[in-house]
Amino acid sequence: MSGADFKVVLLGSEDVGKTSLMKRYIQDRFQCRPHQNTIGAAFASRTISTRGRQFVMGIWDTAGSERYYAMSQLYYRDAKAAIVCFDLTELVTFDRAKQWITELRNHEEDCKIYLCGTKKDVVDDGIKAPALSHEKALQYAKGIGAVYMETSSKTGLNVGELFQLIADECVLPSIHNRDDSIKLRPSPNKNNACCLAS
Amino acid sequence: MFTKKSPALRIDEADLKCKSRSGCDFFGNPEWDGYCSHCYRKERERQQNDQKKSPNRGDSGSRTSADSPLSLAVAKRFNKFEEKKQQQRQQQEKRNKFSKLASSLRKSTSIRDTGRLPEPWLEQSPEVERIKQDYATHLASLSPELRQLINKYIQGLCRSVCSDANNISADELSEKVQKFYQILSKCMDAHNINQELKESVLDYCEKFTMTVLHRNLFCPPTTTDEEKDLAIQKRIRQLNWVNAKHLDCRINETSEEVRDLVYTSITDLLGMDSEKAPQDKLQAVVKCCRNIFLLLQSSVGGPASADEFLPALIFIVLKANPARLKSNINFVTRFCNASRLMTGEGGYYFTNLCCAVSFIENMTAQSLNLPELEFEQYMSGEVVPTSTWDSALMMYEGISLMYEHIAALDDMHKRADSVLEGTQLLQNTMKKFVFEMKLNVEDILARTQITLNSSEKVPTDIDTENPLSELLPPPITPQVIAGGSQKLTSFLASEKEALNLPGITKYAFPSDSELDALGTDSTPGDGVLPLPISDSQEFLLTPSSTYGFSSLDELATPDELCAAQASLNFVQGLSAVNYDIDISDTCSDSSAGLSPHPSFVSMPEQKENSSCIPQETGPASLLDTSESPTSKLLLPSPMKPVIPGPGGDSGEGSSPPVVSLTTAHSHSEEESELKTVDPTVGVSSLTSNSEYQGFTAQGWKIQSIPCDTGPSDLNSNKKSKGDPAN
């Protein structure tokens, strides 16, 4: 049984691409380390190194269906971070994401929230127009003290960065609590702003 | 708890109230004589006070009642009893004072008892022993001090848990245990133990303590886990109708592989209850969930996501309805090393299980996307959904059975086809055979018909040619016989068989005459003539034997036999007449071994019996033998010629003897030859026929003899028949 040093929860409506996001991240890793368990894409644990130390990150996928909404509390209990996903092309999913976030804020104050707009490639390719502007989402994220990122599981855009950022932010404080010397900094993102609010 | 539960069992609440007259509103308890705890204590105190006073009162009482001796004795006895009781009570009080725990006496003892108990367990339980063995190597690699420390911690936990299990809430217990884990972890860190060893040691500690304390910690009495278990069990039973479709669960129920996996995962989930340590329970859940992923993989075609997994897990939980589900879940959440296990895979699956349970508990029509009414109907059991898992399974099983049967039928069909083919082939070959047979038969008939025709013609001819046949008779047998008989007699005399002579002589006559006639009329078979001449010994037989040979040839061919049979119709009775003698002879011959001599010997015997009339016996015996199939078969050919003879009856009667002889010989001597004989022999048969004709003609002349013999013959026949039997 693989233990994990900290857990990250994926939240979001159905079909926003939570599982794809995780798959993308895990599969990138699979290519170099194919010993991971592939039968299910609901849970994944992978080692991630940050600041010269290795940690095991457990990623929990959740069922996004409305009917299981009541149970989500069980999932994000004790989670260090929650990635709240929404579909960039579907406004409804963004509204749902807001719901999740308020829930989270009420129940797990320590949990860091990462707002993640998925399917960036669809928007970039012009197949669908974005349902909401980048600025609006970013503004919302700032308002709740969350990080906002736009990712594409198809191209792998920002996927690795997102998880790395989570690792950096979640692990270090607990490890270096004594020093109090570590400051969180915004990650250097070129195209997509990745904001961090403390 | 008991007080809480008992009301349900009683009828009247008033009966349950405290008995005290003070109008106490609390419930009473049978243990406390129907008082509530408060009143009971008061009552007891009052009683004790009374008793303390009572001895004095009793003493005074005894004194006062000393007047009557009987009552005194009773009182004495009673006093003794009272004294004893009082002593005991005093001792007890002393003890209580010493212990200074009078108020919590019961508790303290119970603590001590249970506190002592776990230690013996540690040694005795085989499960614990096994765990110790499993981790022996890991523990051995620890320093002795650390090992001692760990043991101390474990013992401490066991003791404290055992003592407090019934008193403190489950959450407090959980806290205690979790603290224990943390302390151990810190202790290990302090000793600079590497991560792997630490993990295994922690694992050991957890497993060990939890197995030992399972009884105390699992479903502790302070919780309502048990009721929740029953509630969820009932709930799941109610939801028995929920199927995969209701849950939007993509389980391919018709696939056998998936079905097997469903069953395995159900078994895994059920196995959770049988495990004792929380990590083992967790492992059972993980196993179950992995199987679910496997079955989803084959149903969905790729790694399943949480969106597919959770419904499937709910489905499995619904179908498994695991025992003590809630208790198990609570046990794991409370006493599993949370920091270590709850973040990993096990934690994830366990969380999912909790979700599934919570979903089941809170399942509504909305959560299943069903109309409220329908949901209610299903829940109340009014309506049973048509496509439940069971019916699907049943259907599937039925279908698979059907397929099996179809396959079996196909196989049988093939076999039947092959059998049919075989039968067809066989039929064809049979038909062919029959056809060939027919051809052969026809072919043979074509050949044999000639004989038949000839034979048939012969009679017709004979009928017409009666005058011709009459021409033949000239060789008057009696005369010839006389000559022959002399010769024979002389010859026989040399052979020392005097008895035979008369019979033989008489018998020989016709044959000889026939031979002569034949020889003159038509050339008989080459072999026929020389035989009588050459073999002096067989000369006796010659008449018969010669005919026999010729007849053998004739009879040999089956065709002829058939013809003979056909001809029998005419001849039967008549031909039979003469025959019998010979056949009886042949019988005797066969028994004797050599055909020729015995036949003659037997003949004389018969004659001896009949004494005077050898010839008569001959024909008579023939009549009897005519019944025998051999005679029937053999007769016809000779007969035909007979019929044509002058008088049908007379001719027939006379002719047979010759034939009979031949048949006798043929049977007794060389049956095998019969078959080998060529159809060409037919010619000889013809010749023989012609001979017969001649003979018949003679017979016809002799006619008078057979007619006379008729009655006497019958007797002789009987005798002759009897002889062979003897």
Side-chain angles (χ1 to χ4, degrees), chain A residues 7-51:
Chain A
K7 95 180 189 192
V8 179
V9 181
L10 285 161
L11 297 171
S13 322
E14 273 178 297
D15 299 329
V16 294
K18 297 184 298 291
T19 312
S20 301
L21 186 68
M22 191 171 97
K23 266 189 199 165
R24 178 77 206 187
Y25 178 59
I26 298 302
Q27 267 164 11
D28 278 350
R29 176 48 63 95
F30 280 161
Q31 279 162 10
C32 39
R33 275 188 209 175
H35 58 75
Q36 284 273 8
N37 171 17
T38 48
I39 54 160
F43 172 83
S45 68
R46 58 165 289 182
T47 49
I48 189 163
S49 58
T50 173
R51 310 249 154 182

Side-chain angles (χ1 to χ4, degrees), chain B residues 221-523:
Chain B
T222 50
T223 62
T224 53
D225 288 355
E226 207 173 336
E227 285 149 46
K228 284 182 195 159
D229 286 341
L230 294 177
I232 188 83
Q233 206 152 23
K234 196 181 159 198
R235 173 84 180 167
I236 291 174
R237 231 176 274 153
Q238 265 184 329
L239 290 168
N240 157 54
W241 51 271
V242 176
N243 61 25
K245 243 180 205 167
H246 291 128
L247 298 165
D248 283 339
C249 171
R250 289 201 274 164
I251 288 182
N252 186 9
E253 290 179 27
T254 49
S255 156
E256 197 173 343
E257 192 196 343
V258 170
R259 229 153 46 93
D260 285 347
L261 278 169
V262 166
Y263 283 128
T264 358
S265 43
I266 284 173
T267 325
D268 289 336
L269 193 59
L270 291 176
M272 182 171 83
D273 187 51
S274 57
E275 300 291 350
K276 276 192 172 170
Q279 64 259 64
D280 290 339
K281 287 181 189 292
L282 215 51
Q283 195 56 49
V285 176
V286 170
K287 244 172 89 183
C288 162
C289 291
R290 281 190 179 150
N291 279 324
I292 291 172
F293 271 115
L294 275 178
L295 74 90
L296 281 176
Q297 200 169 22
S298 59
S299 298
V300 178
S305 69
D307 287 314
E308 288 135 10
F309 169 69
L310 188 55
L313 183 62
I314 292 168
F315 176 74
I316 295 293
V317 172
L318 277 177
K319 292 307 155 196
N321 198 0
R324 304 196 285 179
L325 182 59
K326 268 278 176 185
S327 295
N328 277 304
I329 286 176
N330 286 336
F331 181 71
V332 174
T333 39
R334 281 174 198 145
F335 304 114
C336 189
N337 192 341
S339 61
R340 218 161 50 85
L341 296 171
M342 281 316 189
T343 45
E345 196 182 5
Y348 179 70
Y349 292 141
F350 185 74
T351 307
N352 270 299
L353 180 64
C354 295
C355 277
V357 171
S358 124
F359 182 82
I360 289 167
E361 279 173 329
N362 303 312
M363 198 183 276
T364 58
Q366 211 186 346
S367 56
L368 289 178
N369 293 329
L370 281 176
E372 198 76 41
L373 184 70
E374 205 182 331
F375 184 81
E376 285 303 319
Q377 279 176 333
Y378 286 151
M379 285 301 278
S380 58
E382 272 175 51
V383 182
V384 178
T386 47
S387 60
T388 57
W389 166 252
D390 288 333
S391 67
L393 275 190
M394 268 168 66
M395 245 174 67
Y396 175 74
E397 262 161 36
I399 287 169
S400 63
L401 204 68
M402 220 170 74
Y403 277 121
E404 263 173 45
H405 288 176
I406 285 171
L409 281 175
D410 277 343
D411 186 46
M412 282 164 79
H413 195 69
K414 270 180 200 165
R415 284 195 213 173
D417 276 349
S418 70
V419 168
L420 273 178
E421 265 175 41
T423 49
Q424 198 73 40
L425 210 74
L426 192 65
Q427 213 169 18
N428 285 342
T429 51
M430 278 169 75
K431 273 181 185 170
K432 212 173 158 189
F433 177 74
V434 168
F435 182 69
E436 278 172 6
M437 252 327 236
K438 259 185 188 171
L439 274 182
N440 279 340
V441 168
E442 275 170 16
D443 191 35
I444 291 161
L445 276 179
R447 272 181 246 148
T448 52
Q449 263 175 0
I450 302 164
T451 61
L452 278 173
N453 289 340
S454 65
S455 65
E456 277 173 18
K457 279 172 188 172
V458 170
T460 52
D461 290 343
I462 288 165
D463 289 335
T464 54
E465 292 169 5
N466 275 340
L468 287 172
S469 61
E470 282 176 7
L471 292 175
L472 288 168
I476 297 163
T477 48
Q479 291 177 348
V480 178
I481 291 162
S485 68
Q486 287 175 353
K487 287 176 188 175
L488 286 167
T489 48
S490 64
F491 193 81
L492 285 170
S494 66
E495 286 208 295
K496 308 165 188 175
E497 291 201 354
L499 288 171
N500 295 340
L501 286 173
I504 294 160
T505 52
K506 280 176 184 174
Y507 201 65
F509 273 119
S511 65
D512 281 352
S513 67
E514 277 176 11
L515 279 170
D516 294 345
L518 288 168
T520 53
D521 295 341
S522 59
T523 56

Side-chain angles (χ1 to χ4, degrees), chain B residues 675-687:
Chain B
K675 290 172 185 174
T676 56
V677 180
D678 298 332
T680 53
V681 183
V683 180
S684 69
S685 75
L686 280 171
T687 60

